[in-house]
């Protein structure tokens, strides 16, 4: 599965939006509400934008272990009150 198929799958299945910048970096964008309680990020993701998971109250865990994160912007998990587990790379 190519990265564009993964972006579409995550947008339609989980409610989150990824974008690729001009340098090819994969970014989890803000402005969406994740509908998955145990969310696994797309492998190779480089950045999580500001407030990307704002108000994702259903999310209990997030797996970032296959990412290549270089930054997580402020307010990423602002109101994720049920988040109890984060797996980092």
């Amino acid at each position: 599965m190519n990265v564009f198929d993964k972006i579409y799958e995550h947008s339609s299945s989980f409610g989150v939006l990824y974008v690729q910048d001009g340098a090819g970096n994969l970014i989890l964008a803000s402005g969406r509400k994740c509908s998955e309680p145990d969310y696994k990020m797309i492998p190779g993701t480089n950045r999580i934008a500001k407030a990307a998971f704002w108000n994702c109250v259903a999310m209990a865990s997030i797996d970032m272990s296959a990412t290549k994160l270089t930054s997580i912007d402020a307010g990423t998990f602002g109101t994720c009150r049920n988040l109890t587990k984060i797996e980092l790379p």
Side-chain angles (χ1 to χ4, degrees), residues 4 12 20 36 42 45 62 66 72 78 81 84 89:
F4 296 108
S12 61
Q20 256 189 326
E36 181 71 22
I42 294 176
T45 300
I62 183 166
I72 299 174
R81 63 178 172 257
T84 58

Side-chain angles (χ1 to χ4, degrees), residues 11-45:
S11 178
S12 61
S13 299
F14 309 121
V16 296
L17 178 64
Y18 287 80
V19 295
Q20 256 189 326
D21 67 12
N25 294 309
L26 188 58
I27 301 165
L28 177 59
S30 59
R32 296 293 182 103
K33 182 177 178 181
C34 183
S35 59
E36 181 71 22
D38 300 306
Y39 182 66
K40 186 172 184 171
M41 289 182 62
I42 294 176
T45 300

